[in-house]
Amino acid sequence: MPPIKITLVVGTRPEIIKMSPVIKECQARNLSFFLIHSNQHYTPALDAIIFEDLDIPHPRHNLRVGSGTHGTQTGKILMRIEKILMREKPDIVLVQGDTNTVLAGALAAKKLHIKIGHIEAGLRSYSAEMPEEINRVLADHCSDLMFAPTAKAKMALVREGLSPKKIILTGNTIVDAIRQNLPMAESRSKILHKFKLDRQKYFLSTFHRPENVDNKPKLKNILSALGEISKIFSWPIVCPIHPRTLKKIKEFSQAFPAGIQVVPPMGYLDFLMLESNAKLVLTDSGGIQEETCILNIPCVTLRDNTERPETILAGSNILAGTNSEAIRRCVDTMLQRNTNWQNPFGSGKAAAVIIDAILSKS
Ligand code: UD1
Ligand code: UDP
């Protein structure tokens, strides 16, 4: 039997981070694999620096799609990936998460009758308003292998009528990524010193979801809540700002209140250092809800729903929405919580389980 040829597709910061343990597993086993990068994220802080921090190989193909409307972005990726897949003829295409890159990668492979493996399958917010919900549902429904990170995610897939034979419970590769990178962050990152931060005496905040930052009243509420929280606690709120958020703040003529330390998007090692030493994190990020749970740092989620209910059940996370009074109350609640909850996302061997499953089912 010739060796199996694996294509791994990435496009945005979280995909690069969560795919990195799978890439490393392919390297460790000397498998035949290559990367396609859509370049949906292209700003060096969201792209090149993340590749560098994680020490993963350069993609063999870069589609250079950049930004655009959903249709434009998805369409360009689909067209460009198709050409590559026709030439490269891989045995399986792996996609991770719920971005436009994931949907386009899965569709391109499906139409060419190439096997698809969806990593982080079965997450559901049950909010069709979110572009990510559309992407993950469609990607799951055309996948041949669904790598569900938790039992809840697996159940969601089974409830939608998907075959249990195609669903593999793996844990989340973000646990692998944290285990692989936290020791390096602790030994290499100088970010606390650079930003003059004392451990456990600052908050960390990120927000970039369109339903929050593309909506002026919601964006204003979040900014004013952060300003008030910083004043009440007399601690800075470090805010690595996503390009989408910065663009919208300018467009809506908003300003950052005093107490918010606005910084560019961080490399992964610096971000892990900031996250693991924060008193509490306020975010609308999906990945950061998981990471705070794994790192035993309290999280206040600036959304009304989550596709990561495991974090709420574990006790690491609370849904605050975007009302400033509600955000303040949730911060108080979370600061009183005991942080010794159990991580529901697995033991850090997800990448090995994924590759084992691919090899045994080929
Ligand atoms: C995308 C994903 C989202 C994910 C997020 C991770 C979709 C639909 N959305 O959202 O699920 O949580 O990435 O961060 O796939 N921009 C830059 N530089 C970049 C990328 C974007 O300046 O490298 C700016 C552009 O103005 C762009 C805007 O950010 O229009 C939004 O970028 P886009 O890729 O459409 O979505 P994200 O908000 O980054
Ligand atoms: N992250 C990072 N630098 C930052 C902010 C986040 O490296 O300045 C990492 C974070 O640790 C997590 C991932 O990016 O692993 C989350 O990405 P994002 O919030 O952009 O996307 P989401 O998870 O919401 O899809």
Side-chain angles (χ1 to χ4, degrees), residues 40-43 67 99-100 132 208-209 242-244 247:
Q40 177 172 342
H41 281 176
Y42 46 88
T43 297
S67 303
T99 65
N100 288 343
E132 292 84 0
H208 70 278
R209 298 247 92 82
H242 191 286
R244 175 184 207 110
K247 189 169 90 175

Side-chain angles (χ1 to χ4, degrees), residues 201 203 227-236 279 328 331-332 335:
K201 289 193 176 161
F203 297 116
E228 283 173 40
I229 290 162
S230 171
K231 211 189 293 168
I232 294 167
F233 289 89
S234 303
W235 284 343
K279 185 71 181 172
R328 275 203 315 274
V331 167
D332 284 340
L335 287 176

Side-chain angles (χ1 to χ4, degrees), residues 12-15 17-18 41 45-46 50 53 98-99 132 174 206 208-209 240-242 264-272 274-275 283-291 303 308:
T12 65
R13 172 172 67 191
E15 291 165 79
I17 294 168
K18 286 178 166 178
H41 281 176
L46 274 73
I50 305 290
D53 268 4
D98 52 22
T99 65
E132 292 84 0
I174 195 63
T206 77
H208 70 278
R209 298 247 92 82
I241 198 89
H242 191 286
M266 295 284 107
Y268 191 53
L269 298 183
D270 283 340
F271 191 80
L272 268 184
L274 286 172
E275 202 177 10
T283 192
D284 63 11
S285 160
I288 295 172
Q289 292 174 61
E290 294 160 353
E291 285 175 340
R303 289 174 49 188
R308 275 94 176 168

